[in-house]
Amino acid sequence: MSFRPTFFTGLVLVVALCVPAGPAQSQALPSLASISVSYSAQKTKVQPAGELKAQIDALDRDIADATRLGRTGELRRLYAKGLTLLSGQAWTADLDFARSLVLRTDRLIVDPASPWSVRLEQIYQASIALEQPLVARIAVRRPSGPATRGMPAQDPIIVKDFGTRSGVPRDLRESPLHLTLDLADLDDGRYQLVVEVLEGARSLGSVVRPFDVYAGLDATVARLHRAAAAAPEALRASILFPVDRTTFVNRGDIALAAFNPAVEFPSAEAVATAAAAGTNVFDGRTGDFKRHYRLESAGEIMPYRLYVPTTYSSAVRYPLVMALHGLGGDEDSLFTAFGGQLQALAERHGFIVAAPFGYRADGWFGWDGYINRDDPDARRRVERSEDDVMQVMAQVTRQYSVDDQRIFLMGHSMGAIGTWHLAAKFPDVWAGLGPIAGIGDPATIDRMRHIPQFVVHGDADATVAVGYSRVMVARMQALGMSVTYIEVPGGDHINIAVPNLPAMFEFFGRQRCTASGAHACR
């Protein structure tokens, strides 16, 4: 029997289909895996009882049937209903209709010199009975600003009102509503397209699609292609990364939130300009920065974030920490969510830290315990996620002076799951592990029994139950392994990480690889 836990989620909790206090809204489609994780985590948190439990049990049976039959649109409806019920609200016909709405487009990163084509569609047939003609109200707004000290969060600001469109089809699966929008007067930046559907004067809900405006995009892409063709091979991935990432964001393979054109395009142009002058911007660079390479198994350029101590010298061999983010995160997550702790600790201890993207935000770093193993796309996603981690490690060890006896692996939540998976898969690489709030398979521990571990979990973690770490640690202790276990009384899924990072780095500082064999520790 394969080991398949019942729930978990990541550093960034992906609540994909929450119910707002105001009119219902539907966001750009997240992955079904992320929605499923959010739904499972919410069930664990709420612990439904009585009538609610009966409703959720019936819903779970419907989810199982829809999964078996491959009815993805129906799965999205069922998960939305489940999350609504678990939030204490009623699932209504209006909400059913609102959740069916989606905005589709071939471009999410838009050059405003050309009109933007968008379609209003439905992902499933809603149960609502529509009596009157439908109207769509269309606008572009700036996203809401975050709350700051002493100031509440800023409401979204409408920057362009396209008015209303009558004659909206009642069945938007069969007959989508096509929109052609002129964005020429918008400045560069991130916006939201909002389409509200009304039956007469009654609002049935809104659908929101984030997008970016980047003036001169097409010319910039052409310029970067020319620059990459003339640049040294080692710099081409960094020059072409924003071009490549734009393609995958526009296709919907990567979330727009994982890409910032206003940062990445100028960064690539700086690399290209320096290359044209005969300079490699990465030579001798230290501190906190990003690099890129081509992941051949995916045919895609991947980013990774690095911290190189300011005292770095190629004459010294440095420990390397590979840091894996949680579900929904990216290569930046642990650098930013930990408040700069990773960078500060790397500098203090003289460690290089590398954080891969992991191919996709829900790649699981190779672990297949939560995917549909009969789905070839899901299998490819986790395989490429694993490959990305190992390729980034190979890139860093080629580019920098790394001590191959002191390569460490750590992660939080999904990253901790990936840590235990990769330790078992490649046991002769790692000198130490640091899983925080993770899940592992005790049956794999024999393969990593020589690897010292620093395990952290909170006993009040409502997202990943502490029992998952307890059973792993108990098996390690039974085998006489070197393990330091920190169980934080009252600790939740998030607040246990940062306070225990200093001790983890001190632990890593005491370790060296003890694996044996021809290829042990590289």
Side-chain angles (χ1 to χ4, degrees), residues 455-460 466-467 469-470 485-491 496 500:
V455 183
V456 181
H457 217 125
D459 69 3
V466 67
S469 285
R470 286 175 179 170
Y485 179 46
I486 307 296
E487 185 171 302
V488 181
I496 58 166
N500 288 291

Side-chain angles (χ1 to χ4, degrees), residues 10 76 107 329 444 489 495:
R76 292 184 184 278
R107 291 181 293 159
T444 67
N495 66 12

Side-chain angles (χ1 to χ4, degrees), residues 279-301:
T279 301
N280 183 333
V281 298
F282 299 110
D283 285 347
R285 187 167 182 178
T286 62
D288 182 354
F289 57 100
K290 284 191 187 182
R291 298 195 70 163
H292 309 82
Y293 79 103
R294 183 176 177 82
L295 180 63
E296 295 298 339
S297 61
E300 188 174 338
I301 297 172

Side-chain angles (χ1 to χ4, degrees), residues 120 132 150 168 183 195 208 219 239 252 334 343 345 365 384 389 435 454 486:
L120 177 65
Q132 301 180 49
V168 177
L183 306 177
V195 178
V208 179
I239 293 171
L334 297 189
Q343 299 94 307
L345 290 167
F365 303 111
R384 291 170 178 175
V389 176
F454 188 94
I486 307 296

Side-chain angles (χ1 to χ4, degrees), residues 11-12 332-340 494 498:
L11 174 67
V12 180
D332 295 323
S333 296
L334 297 189
F335 277 64
T336 56
F338 287 173
I494 303 297
V498 170

Side-chain angles (χ1 to χ4, degrees), residues 305-384:
R305 191 155 169 178
L306 272 175
Y307 189 86
V308 178
T310 57
T311 55
Y312 176 81
S313 166
S314 60
V316 177
R317 300 179 74 198
Y318 288 79
L320 168 63
V321 175
M322 298 294 297
L324 308 184
H325 63 77
L327 179 66
D330 58 24
E331 72 279 2
D332 295 323
S333 296
L334 297 189
F335 277 64
T336 56
F338 287 173
Q341 269 283 73
L342 276 185
Q343 299 94 307
L345 290 167
E347 180 70 22
R348 184 184 312 157
H349 292 274
F351 282 26
I352 297 172
V353 175
F357 179 36
Y359 179 64
R360 294 291 182 261
D362 59 349
W364 298 105
F365 303 111
W367 190 70
D368 66 356
Y370 202 68
I371 69 165
N372 178 0
R373 293 168 179 162
D374 296 326
D375 181 349
D377 290 334
R379 291 202 310 273
R380 278 192 295 271
R381 185 174 70 251
V382 298
E383 288 165 1
R384 291 170 178 175

